Amino acid sequence: MPERLARRYEGFARCAVVPTPFPDVPLVEAMYWHHNRHADPAHRWLRETVRKVGASLDDPAPTQIADVDASHGERAFPELAPASQRGERTPTPLEEAVSRTRLAGRTVVITGAAQEVAAAAHEGASVVATDVLDEPGEKLAAALRADGLDVRYHHLDVSSPADWADLASSLEAVHGLVNNAGIPMRARLGAVELADWNRAFAVNTTGPMLGIQTLAPLMPAGASIVNVGSVAALTAHHAIAYTASKWALRGLSKVAAPELAPRGIRTNLVHPGYIETPLMATANPVFTQAHLSMTPQGRPGSCEEVAPLVVYLLSDESSYVNGAEITVDGGYSAHGGVKAITNALDPV
């Protein structure tokens, strides 16, 4: 281990009050391995990984650890080695335990029950999945519980203050809120009905505002709010009600970030592009083709490509990220509309 890092980790080790599940390996080296593998802060290992792994294993025996090169004074963890070094095989219980620590001990509320539910649960969170579609929501929660994950479903109309209050009454603390619920409302400016306009704002903007108002009092320092916007909020997207409501969500997020920061609560915004979701399944094929033609990567994204970013923003790894807007759009919003010009000049 480099001497500089050894000094840094030894400083953390001297402050440690948790037992290590690796009794014959110096805590300093365990932390060094964890830092290089996961890029987590060393204190994260001390506070969660060691405690969680130690508690989850029946026999955290030192036989799982072997010397690799005594001349360098370092050790390796063969049971935890990256797949590229250990070949393809089924993860061990120890690997499973270590991988599920980024959100361990945290309660995360996710509206519009989506892929982020599974991603957060797999990282150790206790997830409350909410929606107005009760049957699929219950099925999702039941399926994840069958996999050993901590997920429960709660009915929630995000535009209803009473529903938010009911949810809050069932919670003691909330460490993460993902405002994912949304509706499209695809009418253009000249045709949009006032009722559709109001409904789009009720779900896409008022819903997140009510969620923040209601759950922020239950959030301790270190909590995180992730609002799910859209590339429509970065452009002159034709669906006026949807686009205006997502632009408004940007304003809400920008105000919430500095407002809640003194309490240790972060607020960030994720802007997905064309992602293959049930919402997009009913999109006009002409729109789909046109949108993807303007996407430099030339394909739709998947929920699996958005969920890891949401988990990152919920975790301590993003502890100094606040008020950010991050696109997941295959480069759609990056070219400012000039991709068509580039294609015309240099056809692909």
Side-chain angles (χ1 to χ4, degrees):
M1 181 191 309
E3 183 179 348
R4 173 180 57 83
L5 288 177
R7 287 198 302 270
R8 174 186 174 190
Y9 292 134
E10 283 168 0
F12 282 105
R14 281 194 295 272
C15 299
V17 294
V18 293
T20 171
F22 310 118
D24 73 334
V25 175
L27 182 59
V28 171
E29 292 183 11
M31 290 161 59
Y32 174 59
W33 172 85
H34 182 75
H35 175 83
N36 281 297
R37 173 86 188 278
H38 293 282
D40 287 340
H43 71 268
R44 186 77 168 158
W45 170 273
L46 287 173
R47 190 174 69 247
E48 291 184 3
T49 305
V50 172
R51 177 173 55 83
K52 295 293 183 182
V53 174
S56 66
L57 296 177
D58 294 330
D59 181 21
T63 56
Q64 294 173 320
I65 302 163
D67 289 312
V68 172
D69 188 345
S71 65
H72 287 81
E74 296 184 355
R75 294 172 184 264
F77 299 74
E79 294 299 314
L80 302 178
S84 60
Q85 297 180 16
R86 56 181 163 80
E88 296 296 327
R89 61 173 177 76
T90 303
T92 66
L94 182 56
E95 286 175 308
E96 293 279 358
V98 170
S99 68
R100 296 181 180 180
T101 59
R102 296 167 76 195
L103 302 178
R106 302 184 184 196
T107 297
V108 176
V109 174
I110 302 178
T111 70
Q115 185 70 24
E116 291 87 352
V117 173
H122 275 291
E123 291 291 349
S126 174
V127 179
V128 181
T130 77
D131 210 316
V132 292
L133 302 175
D134 294 337
E135 183 176 352
E138 292 282 11
K139 286 183 178 179
L140 172 64
L144 293 173
R145 285 196 300 271
D147 288 338
L149 303 177
D150 186 0
V151 179
R152 70 179 177 92
Y153 175 77
H154 192 103
H155 176 89
L156 175 70
D157 176 353
V158 297
S159 66
S160 167
D163 278 12
W164 278 109
D166 180 64
L167 172 63
S169 68
S170 71
L171 301 169
E172 294 183 2
V174 176
H175 305 87
L177 168 62
V178 181
N179 284 309
N180 175 74
I183 53 176
M185 297 301 180
R186 297 188 173 106
R188 301 183 71 168
L189 178 59
V192 65
E193 299 285 343
L194 180 59
D196 290 342
W197 172 273
N198 289 340
R199 182 60 180 160
F201 272 84
V203 174
N204 298 343
T205 311
T206 304
M209 184 273 293
L210 290 172
I212 294 171
Q213 272 191 342
T214 307
L215 298 186
L218 302 179
M219 292 183 172
S224 173
I225 297 166
V226 181
N227 292 327
V228 179
S230 168
V231 292
L234 305 172
T235 63
H237 184 61
H238 67 280
I240 181 62
Y242 179 78
T243 298
S245 64
K246 289 296 186 178
W247 274 90
L249 181 59
R250 292 182 69 188
L252 171 65
S253 303
K254 289 298 186 185
V255 171
E259 184 95 358
L260 300 176
R263 296 169 50 187
I265 302 171
R266 297 176 295 107
T267 306
N268 293 289
L269 187 59
V270 174
H271 293 301
Y274 193 104
I275 306 296
E276 291 181 321
T277 64
L279 183 148
M280 297 307 300
T282 59
N284 187 321
V286 174
F287 164 78
T288 297
Q289 182 178 359
H291 190 109
L292 295 181
S293 72
M294 297 294 285
T295 301
Q297 286 188 238
R299 63 170 178 84
S302 68
C303 293
E304 290 81 4
E305 292 173 300
V306 179
L309 174 59
V310 174
V311 169
Y312 165 74
L313 292 172
L314 290 171
S315 76
D316 280 351
E317 295 170 10
S318 60
S319 58
Y320 204 56
V321 180
N322 191 29
E325 299 186 50
I326 305 175
T327 58
V328 189
D329 64 358
Y332 175 85
S333 60
H335 58 77
V338 302
K339 186 176 184 297
I341 299 173
T342 303
N343 290 349
L345 293 173
D346 186 19
V348 177

